[in-house]
Amino acid sequence: MTMTDPQAVSQPVERVSAKTRLKWLRDMMLIREFELRTMQAYQEAKIGGFCHVYIGQEACAVGCIAATNPDDPVITAYRDHGHALARGMESRYAMAEMFGKIGGCAKGKGGSMHLFDKRTHFYGGHAIVGGQTPLGAGLAFATRYENEVLGEGKKRVTLCFLGDGALNQGALHEAMNLCTILELPCIYVVENNRYSMGTSIERGTSMADDLSTKAAAYGMPYFQADGMDVCAVYNVMKRVVDRMRSEQRPAFVEINTYRYKGHSMSDPQKYRTKDEVSEYEASDPIRRLADALIAAGALNEDGFKELNQSVRDEVRDAIKWAEQSPEPDPAADLYSDVVTEPFGEYGPTSLPEMCDHEPGDVPESP
Amino acid sequence: MGAAVATRQIQFREALREAMTEEMRRDKRVFLMGEEVAQYQGAYKVSQGMLDEFGEKRVIDVPISENGFAGLGIGAAMMGLRPIIEFMSWSFSLVAADQILNNAPKMLYMSGGQFGCPIVFRGNDGAGGQLGSTHSWAVEGLFANVPGLRIVIPSTPYDAKGLLKTAIRCNDPVFFLESERMLGNKGPVPEEEYLIPFGQADIKRAGGDCTLVSFGRPVHFCLEAAEKLAEEGIECEVIDGRTIRPLDMDTIIESIRKTNYCVVVDQSWPFGSVASEVATQIYERAMDHLDNRVYRVCSDDVPAPYSKTLEQAMLPNPGKIIKAVKQAMYLE
């Protein structure tokens, strides 16, 4: 039984207001500009460690997240800058995090691969491939539990993003099985950019030409979207999100996309041709939406330039803010947040009392 | 509130069940999830009857997929629920290593304090009885190396109940290590509610000649050894650490100041073990109070064998402890 939903693919793109599409355009342009400046800062050694940029995939995060409610949990893997920004994290907190500064969303303790933002229900970037997929099941479990056991009277869905590389990790398969068995409203969104680092999906994944089989194995409905078209992504995701919110069960979505840059900042990209990259760049999601808006008379070249200027200003401000944010203070910050009730690093000097305060209050960023 | 005033005797497994049941009545955010915890009534009958009381939304059977359901619990904890995840055996937690070691203990830190992880993982730890290498893990030596965790390892029904209640209320991930070999042990547990704070060792037997420090099931081996040594006029002080993280070094050092000799008994392997850590901290803080080096009694540095004879030879036992005490005190 193939679980492909014929409705989702055959119906025309839902009509979305020009104002909303202009917002999506700016969201995607912001991510693009943010990532370009991220690469620059990395090359200037202002950002360290592993760093994976989202250029080319912007329509995935923006289109998917646009289909959710603000309090639907969102969780993703290590290529997480785009999702954090699309979810509403201020770019300065994301940039300062990568600069390893105290003004970062995680006080400089997480870095590029571990962005978190409780305010926007963004449950993090997770850097072990596939490791976020059981967590996504848990977020969905919690929303269902809150609704049914704690009586919150609100149905939520969880978006759990993963790359095609995670398709081969056991964690995903355990998580999908659990989601179906326990009827958890978790939507697994596979951003299929065709490469897990240097391994093409054909070399690494069985049934790579038909990922609906993965969904069918766990009895989940399968949906597919063109990830180079933000309207198409939204159109599919809106239906999936609404349906799963109502039915409170899991789904599996494949979004066909492409990353223009290497897997990480240190990737010579010998596994693909420049022509292949150019081919995808020709159907760039930002240019595509801008052209459509211009054709519809909702945007002109001056308006596009203005948008461009506004995201450049915002990211420039983020860089400046990240540069000016203080370094964490080892004396104060190294040992904070290890546990909620610190008992010392190496044998307690004062014994902890009962723990009875709420976990994880959102810290005020400077 | 001490065990001495209690008259009621219940099994270790009943103490665990009472702790979970009381906390689930107290806080609806608490739920129990694991293999065979619901319909089967618990692989070791720890959760017997809990499905009837709390229903299938709060006592939840999951298929054999530890990495999946351990991670599910962590995700739920990030949202503020308070999961109790039962591992049938801590040996099986190894397939969930990424979740329990990468995600649970580091979430608070990696998120800069935004997302806590108030979760309890509990199950049988240590040798069961001829279960062979893969099923006989004492994980405390391995996991104690990781910051961000609490590791609790009770030796009596009284401690098990009070510590498990604290674990469920704790806002950090707790690894709660039980023993299949002790689940049927009976001990005094009062009817009235009590909690035992983490990081407070318990002196299970007072004595002035040699300090014995242990955790979990080997505490009983220490008590047996102490009994026999007392017949020879050697009075051991038996300290049950009760929690490994946090570790109550103050109580241990106070005892050593009195006895000047110390033997640490630990069911993990000796290399980089809990015993090694205790000994090191003793050297760092109380070198001047020692009249000999700290002796360790650990499991032998081999995979757990199946043969009963070999398994008994590998594990700590009263005979090995008596010998170590005598060596530590220059009596042998």
Side-chain angles (χ1 to χ4, degrees):
Chain A
M1 176 178 63
T2 174
M3 304 294 287
T4 305
D5 185 335
Q7 278 197 331
V9 288
S10 66
Q11 286 189 6
V13 170
E14 229 174 68
R15 289 202 72 75
V16 175
S17 72
K19 189 181 164 196
T20 300
R21 283 187 289 161
L22 278 167
K23 181 188 179 298
W24 294 347
L25 179 62
R26 189 187 185 280
D27 288 349
M28 290 197 293
M29 291 169 71
L30 176 68
I31 295 170
R32 178 74 53 93
E33 177 68 13
F34 183 92
E35 295 294 53
L36 288 169
R37 294 298 302 261
T38 293
M39 293 175 75
Q40 192 184 343
Y42 192 91
Q43 278 147 7
E44 292 165 2
K46 289 175 180 168
I47 296 173
F50 290 144
C51 188
H52 313 81
V53 299
Y54 199 61
I55 294 174
Q57 299 182 214
E58 295 91 343
C60 299
V62 171
C64 288
I65 288 168
T68 62
N69 291 340
D71 63 351
D72 288 330
V74 173
I75 187 165
T76 187
Y78 49 84
R79 195 180 304 282
D80 59 348
H81 315 162
H83 307 89
L85 296 177
R87 193 61 180 164
M89 183 193 288
E90 287 184 42
S91 49
R92 51 169 59 175
Y93 299 151
M95 190 61 82
E97 184 59 30
M98 292 196 286
F99 276 52
K101 299 296 189 70
I102 195 71
C105 61
K107 305 175 193 167
K109 294 175 176 179
S112 160
M113 303 191 288
H114 310 111
L115 302 178
F116 290 84
D117 190 6
K118 194 170 190 179
R119 280 166 290 203
T120 60
H121 299 268
F122 181 62
Y123 285 81
H126 295 271
I128 301 295
V129 174
Q132 80 280 17
T133 57
L135 301 179
L139 297 172
F141 177 91
T143 61
R144 183 149 195 171
Y145 192 95
E146 285 182 352
N147 187 37
E148 294 175 3
V149 178
L150 305 182
E152 289 205 346
K154 189 194 266 182
K155 288 180 174 177
R156 293 197 272 170
V157 294
T158 294
L159 285 196
C160 181
F161 290 92
L162 55 141
D164 49 287
L167 288 170
N168 314 317
Q169 278 279 40
L172 173 68
H173 296 271
E174 294 191 19
M176 286 175 70
N177 186 60
L178 286 166
C179 280
T180 296
I181 296 289
L182 301 175
E183 297 186 314
L184 306 179
C186 183
I187 301 170
Y188 287 106
V189 181
V190 180
E191 293 184 63
N192 182 0
N193 67 20
R194 301 194 44 211
Y195 292 94
S196 52
M197 202 164 158
T199 301
S200 69
I201 186 165
E202 291 80 12
R203 285 208 298 140
T205 303
S206 61
M207 300 299 289
D209 58 346
D210 184 7
L211 295 187
S212 74
T213 53
K214 308 288 178 188
Y218 299 102
M220 288 187 193
Y222 165 84
F223 305 87
Q224 195 174 17
D226 174 6
M228 307 310 275
D229 179 352
V230 68
C231 295
V233 172
Y234 173 79
N235 183 49
V236 171
M237 284 303 291
K238 183 78 173 83
R239 285 196 183 87
V240 179
V241 165
D242 289 352
R243 181 170 149 192
M244 297 312 140
R245 187 185 308 286
S246 152
E247 295 180 7
Q248 291 288 288
R249 65 191 187 97
F252 186 93
V253 183
E254 177 187 6
I255 302 186
N256 303 105
T257 184
Y258 201 75
R259 62 168 154 77
Y260 299 172
K261 304 295 176 187
H263 162 74
S264 66
M265 295 301 293
S266 55
D267 177 3
Q269 302 182 61
K270 289 183 177 161
Y271 49 85
R272 62 184 185 183
T273 63
K274 283 185 178 158
D275 286 349
E276 182 181 299
V277 180
S278 306
E279 201 178 303
Y280 279 95
E281 282 175 339
S283 60
D284 183 65
I286 292 175
R287 196 62 249 175
R288 197 158 158 183
L289 179 57
D291 288 347
L293 286 165
I294 289 168
L299 181 71
N300 55 28
E301 278 301 332
D302 282 348
F304 185 72
K305 279 180 190 159
E306 271 173 40
L307 276 180
N308 214 11
Q309 193 57 49
S310 99
V311 299
R312 289 180 76 159
D313 289 347
E314 180 175 335
V315 178
R316 188 176 297 122
D317 168 75
I319 294 264
K320 190 174 162 196
W321 199 81
E323 279 171 343
Q324 289 175 351
S325 175
E327 290 284 333
D329 171 16
D333 303 313
L334 183 61
Y335 280 93
S336 64
D337 307 319
V338 178
V339 290
T340 52
E341 293 276 348
F343 49 80
E345 75 283 13
Y346 204 72
T349 47
S350 62
L351 298 173
E353 291 306 313
M354 235 58 82
C355 330
D356 57 6
H357 66 78
E358 290 304 308
D361 288 334
V362 182
E364 282 304 314
S365 291
Chain B
M1 190 176 91
V5 299
T7 52
R8 187 181 65 142
Q9 299 269 325
I10 62 171
Q11 286 185 359
F12 205 108
R13 61 163 59 78
E14 293 169 322
L16 295 168
R17 186 188 310 145
E18 281 192 1
M20 291 194 288
T21 300
E22 287 175 18
E23 291 307 301
M24 284 178 69
R25 286 177 192 150
R26 178 181 174 269
D27 184 349
K28 277 185 130 180
R29 295 174 301 170
V30 181
F31 66 90
L32 173 65
M33 176 178 277
E35 294 154 0
E36 313 291 5
V37 296
Q39 290 188 19
Y40 194 92
Q41 305 293 324
Y44 293 91
K45 305 296 171 219
V46 172
S47 57
Q48 194 162 38
M50 289 179 67
L51 174 64
D52 285 345
E53 174 168 358
F54 297 105
E56 60 184 16
K57 291 203 184 301
R58 297 185 68 199
V59 180
I60 303 149
D61 278 327
V62 281
I64 300 168
S65 47
E66 285 84 0
N67 197 29
F69 67 75
L72 190 160
I74 295 163
M78 286 175 78
M79 279 197 70
L81 298 188
R82 309 188 80 88
I84 306 167
I85 302 293
E86 178 175 307
F87 289 129
M88 205 180 290
S89 160
W90 274 96
S91 294
F92 309 156
S93 75
L94 301 183
V95 299
D98 177 42
Q99 295 299 333
I100 66 171
L101 300 181
N102 251 333
N103 287 341
K106 298 175 183 169
M107 200 65 75
L108 188 72
Y109 199 77
M110 284 197 305
S111 68
Q114 294 186 72
F115 293 107
C117 195
I119 190 167
V120 178
F121 295 104
R122 45 160 290 271
N124 292 312
D125 175 67
Q130 288 192 269
L131 301 182
S133 296
T134 58
H135 281 50
S136 301
W137 270 88
V139 295
E140 53 267 41
L142 191 64
F143 294 159
N145 191 236
V146 182
L149 293 175
R150 316 288 188 133
I151 298 182
V152 181
I153 178 164
S155 68
T156 66
Y158 177 86
D159 289 350
K161 182 175 178 185
L163 288 166
L164 184 52
K165 284 171 71 79
T166 302
I168 294 166
R169 294 186 198 183
C170 182
N171 285 325
D172 297 310
V174 179
F175 287 13
F176 198 91
L177 313 184
E178 301 152 14
S179 164
E180 181 191 332
R181 301 299 295 271
M182 295 199 297
L183 288 175
N185 287 7
K186 281 194 166 183
V189 175
E191 301 270 359
E192 63 271 20
E193 180 174 60
Y194 65 96
L195 288 91
I196 299 172
F198 291 167
Q200 284 191 10
D202 185 43
I203 298 173
K204 289 282 193 280
R205 179 191 176 107
D209 296 330
C210 180
T211 300
L212 281 170
V213 180
S214 193
F215 305 87
R217 185 169 168 236
V219 167
H220 297 284
F221 306 155
C222 291
L223 288 168
E224 268 182 62
E227 193 87 3
K228 288 192 178 131
L229 285 162
E231 290 166 12
E232 299 177 38
I234 301 163
E235 291 298 334
C236 291
E237 181 142 288
V238 178
I239 298 178
D240 179 353
R242 299 201 291 197
T243 62
I244 292 170
R245 270 179 179 265
L247 182 60
D248 178 9
M249 284 305 297
D250 291 350
T251 299
I252 294 168
I253 284 163
E254 201 177 313
S255 177
I256 289 170
R257 283 205 181 109
K258 185 172 63 178
T259 64
N260 311 120
Y261 297 111
C262 185
V263 174
V264 188
V265 183
D266 168 17
Q267 62 185 346
S268 49
W269 289 302
F271 198 107
S273 62
V274 175
S276 310
E277 179 62 29
V278 171
T280 302
Q281 292 203 35
I282 291 169
Y283 294 136
E284 286 171 344
R285 291 180 57 186
M287 190 77 165
D288 293 346
H289 296 282
L290 288 169
D291 285 345
N292 197 351
R293 68 177 174 89
V294 176
Y295 276 69
R296 293 183 295 161
V297 178
C298 292
S299 285
D300 276 78
D301 198 18
V302 297
Y306 162 73
S307 152
K308 194 170 187 173
T309 305
L310 291 178
E311 186 182 48
Q312 287 307 312
M314 178 220 188
L315 297 170
N317 60 42
K320 291 182 186 178
I321 297 165
I322 289 167
K323 189 171 183 208
V325 168
K326 288 183 175 175
Q327 286 177 330
M329 295 179 70
Y330 301 106
L331 298 171
E332 212 173 73

